[in-house]
Amino acid sequence: MKKAIIAGTSIEQIIDKPFKTYRTDYGEVDAALDGSFVFILRHRIGHTAAPHLINYMANAALLEHFEVDHVITTHAVGSITERLLPTNIGLVSDFIEFTFSRPFTFFDGVKRPLRHVPMNDVFDDELRFQVIRASVERNLRISPALTYITTNGPRLESKAEIRAYRSWGADVVGMTLNPEVNLIHELGIKLCSICFSINWAAGLDEEGISFIEGESRKKLTSRVLDIAIDALKNS
């Protein structure tokens, strides 16, 4: 069995292995193999796929092809509440999906039999524990239970939308959690999602939307990847 990490394009600069294109029944995926690990570039090589055009089904299908049993997904997000401050990391415990026009299920009665898959417990407790352990061992604060709202993108959210999302109980906002985790969960693969904040969401920063970029963002991404690898090795 293999372990996998699905992440943004920044891991191209961190993972010292060649990324190549793999074909699945649902389309192409850019990934790198390193022993028992599979690293998938969510946005393809060179960050060419916008959030609403990512082939989430192909990415999940590649996990199934390689018989992956544990996967960690990582997501850059905007902070809506103080439960996750910019530059900090957290674990997703629940989500609100606000996407449209994205293929969202394997079990639609066409390629696979129709099924209604519960989404009560998407995130694996043991894998979440391993992420928390790995963070604590590095003296890093981690928010253990965040609600992520997925917007369609690629545009950013309005101030009024962020106020609404906050009133619904969302802590962070991003564009890639769903349907990614839905599809992985449908395949019965144990899953955990780490998010890291790169900005305050619209209307919450007096200076407007200021993103963490450059070397600071690379270090944050590298830290998250290090935690994910450690957690998977111990799962």
Side-chain angles (χ1 to χ4, degrees), residues 50-204:
H52 67 299
L53 297 177
I54 291 168
N55 194 333
Y56 297 99
M57 296 187 77
N59 291 347
L62 190 69
L63 299 178
E64 188 177 45
H65 170 76
F66 282 121
E67 298 184 340
V68 168
D69 59 353
H70 291 75
V71 59
I72 291 179
T73 68
T74 73
H75 308 266
V77 298
S79 296
I80 295 177
T81 70
E82 293 184 355
R83 296 186 68 189
L84 187 70
L85 301 177
T87 75
N88 288 355
I89 64 175
L91 281 169
V92 181
S93 60
D94 210 343
F95 60 79
I96 302 167
E97 184 173 4
F98 216 59
T99 69
F100 53 90
S101 71
R102 302 184 184 191
F104 57 88
T105 183
F106 286 109
F107 302 113
D108 59 359
V110 181
K111 285 191 174 183
R112 305 193 191 203
L114 176 64
R115 280 182 57 197
H116 302 285
V117 179
M119 291 286 149
N120 296 37
D121 300 300
V122 173
F123 305 103
D124 182 69
D125 287 339
E126 173 61 23
L127 200 47
R128 286 166 51 82
F129 170 80
Q130 292 297 341
V131 170
I132 293 171
R133 175 200 55 76
S135 301
V136 170
E137 287 181 356
R138 290 163 174 77
N139 295 315
L140 296 174
R141 177 183 297 179
I142 183 166
S143 301
L146 299 171
T147 298
Y148 181 126
I149 186 162
T150 310
T151 58
N152 208 56
R155 73 162 178 87
L156 297 175
E157 305 75 32
S158 71
K159 295 178 183 179
E161 287 170 332
I162 293 300
R163 289 196 298 271
Y165 300 157
R166 184 168 182 159
S167 73
W168 294 351
D171 298 301
V172 298
V173 59
M175 302 175 189
T176 59
L177 188 81
N178 306 100
E180 184 170 278
V181 298
N182 315 30
L183 295 164
I184 295 169
H185 181 62
E186 283 187 344
L187 297 178
I189 300 169
K190 292 183 178 181
L191 163 71
C192 176
S193 296
I194 305 174
C195 56
F196 55 101
S197 175
I198 59 171
N199 65 283
W200 281 108
L204 300 179

